[in-house]
Amino acid sequence: MKIIVIGGGAWGTALAVNASRSVQAQHAVTLWVRDAAQLHAMQQARENLRYLPGVVLPSGLQISNQALTELLATLQSTDLVILAPPMAGLRGLLAQLRGSSAAVAWLCKGFEVGIGFAPGLMGHEIQTQVAPGLRAGVLSGPSFAQEVALGKPTALVAASADASVRDALVSAFHSSTLRVYANDDVVGVEAGGAVKNVLAIATGLCDGLQLGLNARAALVTRGLAEMTRLGLALGAKAETFMGLSGLGDLVLTATGDLSRNRRVGQALAQGQSLQQAIQSLGHVAEGVYSARTVVQRAATLGIDMPIAQCVVDLLDGRLQPAQAVATLMGRGPTAEGV
């Protein structure tokens, strides 16, 4: 397959490395990076020192910084385009791909920031607006870029309403170290990927305050209930949230030390400001930017998400860490369930 990965961050680089290593498939992979200085450094060191240090780039992996318009002009001979921008950059890239015949999939998770009174959208909703004719989908699931790049066992979900897109993603990335499962529930896969980042901030706060393992288990479990409520209201299938892109991604992001969103919660628990927490990461923590939109979207659907709401109040400075915990624990009794 001929594969183009647009975006030289950690996750885009990790998947480009993974596809390039496939000896049997012999994919032709190009990794496009925006910054010319980053391109030069990667070509010289054969390593993405900025985002994925310690991972050698395979010799067959091509790295490009040519004008994006020129690169996209070659798509007639491309089988699969992987988009790896932050959520805020997805709309612009999809608009440029309008009319392409290649299969397209994005990696970013979250909701786009809403404009005015319009609610923020997930990736598939953006694609429907700006490039409805694309054969498109999303690659998601519990995965840290560093572990994928190092060849550690990982399982992902290729979600699309189009079977040819699911097949392309499986063909591109399924290997002895990376299992890719097909799923046609794009809504559920994207909802899980968006909400889990917000819940990971809450769990990081819980761990940073040393509230104990009981509290963490309760937070993850009730967070999954919130995720499922919102997903079902958006039209997802309930079973998706018990799979890799729901429970799997939530557990990883909420408990893994490599989770940027979890580290934001920990930093806030230690008394850092939100700006200090973000600056200390050096990378995007999508939960910070999508938390408000998750809650806003839930409100338009009449869905109660108390944990996500506390995260928003914490990020906006309306609650201090201890107050956020007291707010959740002070809620009245109710029956368990979604």
Side-chain angles (χ1 to χ4, degrees):
M1 295 179 67
K2 182 177 180 182
I3 303 167
I4 296 176
V5 179
I6 298 177
W11 195 207
T13 302
L15 282 179
V17 166
N18 180 274
S20 298
R21 284 186 182 141
S22 180
V23 177
Q24 289 183 324
Q26 294 185 326
H27 300 309
V29 186
T30 299
L31 176 63
W32 183 85
V33 297
R34 181 183 302 277
D35 186 84
Q38 183 188 3
L39 169 76
H40 179 73
M42 290 173 69
Q43 289 175 330
Q44 293 297 310
R46 296 305 297 179
E47 188 176 339
N48 190 340
L49 295 170
R50 183 184 299 180
Y51 295 110
L52 207 60
V55 176
V56 177
L57 304 180
S59 59
L61 175 61
Q62 300 297 311
I63 311 170
S64 172
N65 183 242
Q66 73 180 104
L68 190 54
T69 52
E70 296 177 8
L71 181 66
L72 297 180
T74 70
L75 291 185
Q76 293 301 325
S77 61
T78 300
D79 299 297
L80 177 63
V81 180
I82 298 295
L83 305 180
M87 199 66 201
L90 182 60
R91 179 178 291 270
L93 286 176
L94 286 172
Q96 293 184 71
L97 288 167
R98 189 185 297 115
S100 169
S101 61
V104 176
W106 49 88
L107 308 178
C108 44
K109 302 174 182 179
F111 284 82
E112 185 183 46
V113 175
I115 301 174
F117 293 104
L121 304 179
M122 292 182 288
H124 73 279
E125 296 171 317
I126 299 170
Q127 180 253 318
T128 299
Q129 277 192 353
V130 303
L134 278 183
R135 293 188 299 122
V138 59
L139 189 65
S140 191
S143 50
F144 289 135
Q146 184 179 14
E147 293 190 358
V148 170
L150 292 173
K152 295 188 176 182
T154 304
L156 298 177
V157 179
S160 176
D162 189 321
S164 69
V165 177
R166 301 193 297 267
D167 291 344
L169 288 167
V170 172
S171 297
F173 299 112
H174 193 90
S175 68
S176 60
T177 60
L178 181 59
R179 291 188 59 82
V180 182
Y181 292 82
N183 192 322
D184 63 359
D185 183 14
V186 182
V187 178
V189 168
E190 288 218 286
V195 178
K196 61 93 182 181
N197 284 328
V198 182
L199 300 174
I201 295 175
T203 312
L205 179 74
C206 171
D207 289 344
L209 292 173
Q210 298 183 335
L211 300 182
L213 299 178
N214 294 349
R216 180 203 282 179
L219 196 56
V220 169
T221 306
R222 295 313 302 163
L224 179 62
E226 289 192 16
M227 176 193 292
T228 305
R229 279 201 299 271
L230 178 60
L232 292 178
L234 291 167
K237 299 176 182 177
E239 58 266 28
T240 300
F241 299 100
M242 295 307 295
L244 291 166
S245 60
L247 177 60
D249 212 354
L250 173 59
V251 169
L252 179 75
T253 312
T255 64
D257 290 336
L258 294 175
S259 167
R260 295 190 295 271
N261 292 286
R262 179 173 183 267
R263 284 159 56 193
V264 168
Q266 289 175 311
L268 294 174
Q270 293 163 3
Q272 292 186 28
S273 68
L274 178 58
Q275 183 178 5
Q276 289 172 327
I278 294 173
Q279 288 177 342
S280 68
L281 292 178
H283 296 265
V284 173
E286 288 283 11
V288 173
Y289 303 103
S290 64
R292 298 171 189 82
T293 311
V294 166
V295 169
Q296 289 167 358
R297 190 70 183 269
T300 64
L301 296 168
I303 302 301
D304 186 30
M305 298 186 71
I307 298 173
Q309 181 63 63
C310 275
V311 170
V312 173
D313 291 340
L314 182 69
L315 296 176
D316 288 347
R318 291 189 292 272
L319 287 179
Q320 294 301 309
Q323 293 173 317
V325 176
T327 298
L328 289 173
M329 293 303 294
R331 287 169 52 84
T334 185
E336 185 183 26
V338 173

